Amino acid sequence: MPEIIPRTLQGTPFLVEWYQWGVIVGFLVALAITAWIFFDAQRTGRDATVWKSVAAVASVICIPALLARVHSGFALEMRDSLPLVAIFSIVGSVGAIIAAIGYAGTRNRTAAVCPLCGRPQDPTWTHCPYHSAPQPIPAVSSPVPILSSAPPDFHDSFGSSSVPPSTGRETLIAGVPPAVERGGGPPSHSRGTVILSRETEAKPLALLIIKSGPYANTTLPLKEGVNTLGRDGRVNDHPIDDPAVSERHLSIRHIDGRFVATDLDSSNGTFVNGQRIDKQPLKTNDVLRVGQTELVFVQVGDATPAGDGAPSKPLE
């Protein structure tokens, strides 16, 4: 400790002792608390703006006393302000401890804003009421029939005996049963609205089925290429409303006919069948866990996920 400090603070032995060790310990405590609040709030998705600000300010006002303690030149320049600087250091250390206690009291609450839409949330809500939950899609979808010929009513209405040539788009005729296909039975003669040229939807190559939580049984389709999952709905194909999930948590890529899961350096990691993974191929009925959310992987063409004693059957 520079000699200027005890000479200047002869009448205040407590401040002399504080400069001896208190300024160093107080700054390190304030810095550690600030880093913890920032890291934990980022990891869990909590809104801790107030406690972040208090901890950051507390760390900053501890710095002048620390500089005076370790460098005699700073102590000499601040000679007339050494008592005030020491008091600021004490206030900063106490303020950081108060920020830690205040933030710890909010750690068991849910995120203050919805990670998908950004609207304020009440801690008692189980999910955001401002938007609907993702709607499940059936695990086995029935293809819509593509008709190569139309019933007589269709010809009469349009004055033509042929259907427009196929262009890769489906031709739907209301009132025609699914059994009517090329070379099939007699067509229905019920009149109805004719809908032409509606795009066919691509069938998913695999599915992720959420097992628990407010979105249980929601089915997430996986497409060709890269599929990303995470808490941020703006940058992911499938947002996961779970505060323990990172903003970009996991990618699932379709490679050579199979899907490979890759963890995107997430805070809490990605687990497949209970084992933490960095990169791993997936097979049907593998259970993935991201944060507190579990999902069952099912590849189309393999067996459906095992149910409560029900035998598996192939997807069509």
Side-chain angles (χ1 to χ4, degrees):
M1 181 174 63
E3 290 295 329
I4 187 66
I5 293 178
R7 289 202 305 266
T8 303
L9 302 175
Q10 288 180 359
T12 53
F14 171 75
L15 294 183
V16 175
E17 291 298 325
W18 178 257
Y19 270 107
Q20 185 69 31
W21 296 108
V23 291
I24 298 176
V25 174
F27 174 75
L28 292 178
V29 168
L31 187 63
I33 289 174
T34 303
W36 171 65
I37 292 176
F38 272 80
F39 174 78
D40 192 72
Q42 175 69 20
R43 179 180 65 85
T44 59
R46 277 186 285 271
D47 181 21
T49 304
V50 173
W51 303 120
K52 287 179 181 177
S53 302
V54 172
V57 171
S59 298
V60 169
I61 64 178
C62 289
I63 293 177
L66 178 67
L67 294 176
R69 167 64 177 79
V70 299
H71 196 282
S72 57
F74 283 105
L76 185 61
E77 290 181 5
M78 295 187 293
R79 179 176 53 188
D80 297 333
S81 303
L82 286 176
L84 183 61
V85 169
I87 292 173
F88 278 170
S89 175
I90 295 172
V91 171
S93 302
V94 174
I97 294 173
I98 292 174
I101 295 173
Y103 175 73
T106 66
R107 292 186 79 242
N108 293 328
R109 301 180 186 175
T110 57
V113 297
C114 174
L116 301 182
C117 67
R119 292 177 181 264
Q121 304 289 287
D122 188 279
T124 60
W125 294 346
T126 57
H127 63 276
C128 180
Y130 297 107
H131 56 81
S132 59
Q135 296 299 313
I137 65 172
V140 181
S141 57
S142 300
V144 178
I146 301 178
L147 303 182
S148 57
S149 60
D153 287 356
F154 175 82
H155 302 156
D156 295 342
S157 301
F158 287 84
S160 173
S161 59
S162 62
V163 178
S166 172
T167 59
R169 303 166 182 257
E170 63 181 358
T171 303
L172 304 181
I173 305 176
V176 179
V180 179
E181 298 176 355
R182 181 188 298 271
S188 169
H189 292 276
S190 351
R191 282 188 182 273
T193 303
V194 177
I195 304 175
L196 297 176
S197 302
R198 190 173 71 184
E199 295 285 354
T200 58
E201 296 181 0
K203 187 176 182 180
L205 301 178
L207 307 168
L208 287 176
I209 304 172
I210 299 178
K211 289 184 63 178
S212 60
Y215 301 140
N217 299 321
T218 298
T219 306
L220 309 177
L222 301 180
K223 63 181 185 303
E224 181 79 28
V226 180
N227 305 262
T228 58
L229 291 82
R231 199 176 66 248
D232 192 341
R234 297 168 296 180
V235 297
N236 292 287
D237 298 298
H238 299 300
I240 304 295
D241 191 3
D242 182 338
V245 171
S246 298
E247 291 186 359
R248 295 186 77 251
H249 196 109
L250 167 71
S251 73
I252 301 179
R253 182 188 297 268
H254 187 248
I255 304 175
D256 297 330
R258 64 178 182 173
F259 285 86
V260 178
T262 303
D263 184 75
L264 301 178
D265 295 325
S266 61
S267 299
N268 293 324
T270 299
F271 295 79
V272 176
N273 298 326
Q275 300 295 321
R276 185 162 185 166
I277 61 102
D278 292 322
K279 184 175 182 179
Q280 179 170 319
L282 299 176
K283 61 182 183 299
T284 292
N285 291 330
D286 278 348
V287 178
L288 291 83
R289 178 163 62 83
V290 291
Q292 301 300 319
T293 302
E294 288 190 337
L295 310 100
V296 178
F297 173 81
V298 179
Q299 188 157 354
V300 175
D302 291 343
T304 57
D308 298 333
S312 299
K313 61 181 180 179
L315 290 171
E316 299 179 354

